[in-house]
Amino acid sequence: MTKQNVVVSDPNSGINTATFTAAAVQKPPPAPGSCINISRKTLVEINSGPRINSWVDSMRASSPTHHKCTSLSEDNTSWMVHHPSALDMFEQIISASKGKKMVMFLDYDGTLSPIVDDPDQAFMSDAMRGTVRKLARYFPTAIVSGRCRDKVYSFVQLAELYYAGSHGMDIEGPSKDSKYKKGAQAALFQPASEFLPMIVEVYKELLDKTNSINGVRVENNKFCVSVHFRCVDEKKWGELAQQVKSVLKEYPKLRLSQGRKVLEIRPTIKWDKGKALEFLLESLGYANCTDVFPVYIGDDRTDEDAFKVLRERGQGFGILVSKTPKDTYASYSLLEPSEVMIFLRRLVEWKRLSLRRQSKIQKQLEEIKASLKN
Ligand SMILES: O=P(O)(O)OC[C@H]1O[C@H](O[C@H]2O[C@H](CO)[C@@H](O)[C@H](O)[C@H]2O)[C@H](O)[C@@H](O)[C@@H]1O
């Protein structure tokens, strides 16, 4: 039985959904709100295209210790020039958002919680939770994760946020009528629901095919499946890739993407974190607004779809959480979740002070009006 299985691919790896031309890193970051064009790379068939070696190369590339660059310091300098720290650029970011409604989108793993070996132990700190809670008081805030929605909710535990799980394929957003009203009925959107039985089947097959490989972890994320190789001996990566490939070959309606030491199997539908961001903006009533300022913070290749959408809309910007230089559509960078927390706290503090200032001015105006009447 021959079945076609097509993925959007980096010719070097053959398996990424989010790869970019060098133009993305050679240009200086645009002013927040401006837009650049970056072209996608070609489509490659799994069966006829990349060989297992290319899969393994790509798996290696997802490990920062294997970051390919001729001179690390040169690379770092260029990276910081083109993707400066969002903390250093805080004032510029605030001034670009002036008069606009800021909407926050946060990835979970590697952004709100540190990367750990066991995906079930990737807890966010109470301090981070407290910060996100305060953030959501001032700005509409959504979590956009590759994990299934229930799981990411069980980690975040904040009912006041919106959640997009399974790489955006399972969204609990605001209801269309209510826009951003506290306590309003949440609306569910699951564009890949027809794939549920297939995902269950593939999950079982992947469990079965990979269980002899030490350290593999297969995670059912409801509308997608994650095959983790963080704890697999590198010598076994080829064997793992081979097994995953052999399962995927039988499912032409599924495709493969890659995250941090994880292979992600997901439906071929044109839906990703970028689409989820647009869907949420629309649900919040900001679809055609020129005065909306979305900020997306994420650390993974799958977050690039959202960064790209922001570039194309010419609204807001993306912040990549990374300690190493990477090709990205994001405009700014932060090193790790602890810096994300500092950035979010500064946003909260800035908003609190500016609201306080506004109400003080309002009060003074009212006093002046009252004194003129007398
Ligand atoms: O979109 P995200 O919220 O970033 O989710 C992407 C994947 O994150 C998780 O895996 C990653 O974090 C794990 C815990 O730190 C780590 O062990 C793993 O190597 C990382 O890839 C999650 O387990 C996956 O299901 C998500 O797809």
Side-chain angles (χ1 to χ4, degrees):
M1 183 167 37
T2 324
K3 292 179 179 174
Q4 265 199 343
N5 201 336
V6 181
V7 293
V8 178
S9 167
D10 171 355
N12 297 324
S13 69
I15 59 173
N16 294 331
T17 50
T19 50
F20 317 97
T21 60
V25 288
Q26 282 165 3
K27 288 188 178 162
S34 66
C35 182
I36 62 161
N37 283 328
I38 302 172
S39 63
R40 279 253 172 176
K41 291 196 174 176
T42 49
L43 293 171
V44 174
E45 283 184 18
I46 282 183
N47 291 344
S48 62
R51 293 184 308 260
I52 286 303
N53 281 351
S54 330
W55 281 51
V56 174
D57 286 346
S58 177
M59 287 159 82
R60 280 202 192 104
S62 75
S63 161
T65 50
H66 291 96
H67 180 74
K68 54 169 193 297
C69 57
T70 42
S71 153
L72 193 58
S73 61
E74 195 181 292
D75 212 33
N76 264 327
T77 310
S78 159
W79 160 254
M80 287 316 288
V81 168
H82 298 298
H83 307 280
S85 163
L87 290 174
D88 294 344
M89 299 298 281
F90 191 78
E91 299 307 327
Q92 287 88 330
I93 288 169
I94 291 306
S95 92
S97 73
K98 212 164 184 185
K100 297 182 179 169
K101 180 79 182 162
M102 199 178 273
V103 183
M104 298 299 299
F105 296 89
L106 307 170
D107 167 56
Y108 182 74
D109 289 279
T111 298
L112 297 182
S113 69
I115 292 292
V116 293
D117 283 351
D118 180 355
D120 288 342
Q121 301 295 315
F123 305 114
M124 71 195 275
S125 65
D126 287 342
M128 181 67 97
R129 183 172 299 100
T131 302
V132 176
R133 182 184 286 120
K134 283 183 194 151
L135 185 79
R137 273 188 212 143
Y138 295 113
F139 311 100
T141 302
I143 304 291
V144 187
S145 174
R147 290 183 184 261
C148 72
R149 189 165 47 83
D150 291 350
K151 185 74 166 278
V152 77
Y153 182 83
S154 75
F155 281 132
V156 179
Q157 296 174 17
L158 293 171
E160 54 270 54
L161 310 184
Y162 304 114
Y163 289 85
S166 306
H167 295 293
M169 288 178 284
D170 189 4
I171 303 182
E172 188 183 9
S175 81
K176 287 251 165 180
D177 313 322
S178 63
K179 307 278 165 56
Y180 183 59
K181 281 187 193 151
K182 261 215 155 107
Q185 274 271 301
L188 267 191
F189 182 67
Q190 299 178 326
S193 50
E194 70 186 270
F195 287 89
L196 267 181
M198 192 184 285
I199 293 291
V200 171
E201 201 177 291
V202 165
Y203 169 66
K204 286 182 187 152
E205 281 187 36
L206 285 167
L207 270 181
D208 185 49
K209 289 261 188 175
T210 62
N211 78 356
S212 61
I213 303 171
N214 219 357
V216 175
R217 181 75 178 264
V218 184
E219 193 183 4
N220 186 340
N221 280 327
K222 192 164 178 176
F223 295 103
C224 44
V225 180
S226 298
V227 180
H228 293 275
F229 55 92
R230 182 167 296 278
C231 298
V232 176
D233 186 332
E234 206 169 318
K235 292 190 203 89
K236 292 281 183 181
W237 289 6
E239 187 183 335
L240 175 64
Q242 188 63 61
Q243 295 297 1
V244 173
K245 187 177 173 180
S246 74
V247 172
L248 202 57
K249 208 173 66 184
E250 301 303 319
Y251 294 91
K253 290 190 169 168
L254 298 180
R255 68 183 168 106
L256 190 71
S257 63
Q258 198 179 0
R260 295 177 72 170
K261 299 218 175 151
V262 66
L263 299 171
E264 313 257 29
I265 288 94
R266 54 207 264 185
T268 46
I269 60 163
K270 285 188 180 144
W271 198 267
D272 52 39
K273 288 181 170 184
K275 297 273 185 204
L277 179 150
E278 290 191 305
F279 178 89
L280 281 163
L281 281 179
E282 192 181 333
S283 313
L284 287 162
Y286 298 132
N288 301 311
C289 289
T290 48
D291 61 350
V292 65
F293 197 86
V295 175
Y296 188 107
I297 311 182
D299 71 315
D300 219 339
R301 291 186 188 183
T302 57
D303 297 311
E304 292 295 339
D305 294 313
F307 297 151
K308 184 173 181 240
V309 161
L310 294 181
R311 290 260 183 190
E312 286 171 350
R313 289 174 73 105
Q315 288 180 320
F317 57 84
I319 301 177
L320 179 71
V321 184
S322 179
K323 283 184 177 161
T324 54
K326 285 178 186 165
D327 286 356
T328 182
Y329 286 106
S331 302
Y332 300 105
S333 63
L334 288 168
L335 290 176
E336 54 193 4
S338 61
E339 283 205 353
V340 173
M341 189 164 76
I342 296 170
F343 179 77
L344 299 181
R345 282 183 175 173
R346 285 183 71 176
L347 278 182
V348 168
E349 193 51 17
W350 161 74
K351 190 68 183 178
R352 196 180 64 79
L353 289 176
S354 78
L355 288 177
R356 191 198 273 177
R357 256 196 310 273
Q358 269 172 29
S359 90
K360 212 169 162 186
I361 292 170
Q362 188 65 35
K363 213 171 148 195
Q364 283 169 350
L365 280 175
E366 276 159 19
E367 280 167 11
I368 293 169
K369 265 191 206 162
S371 72
L372 285 175
K373 267 190 195 164
N374 294 332

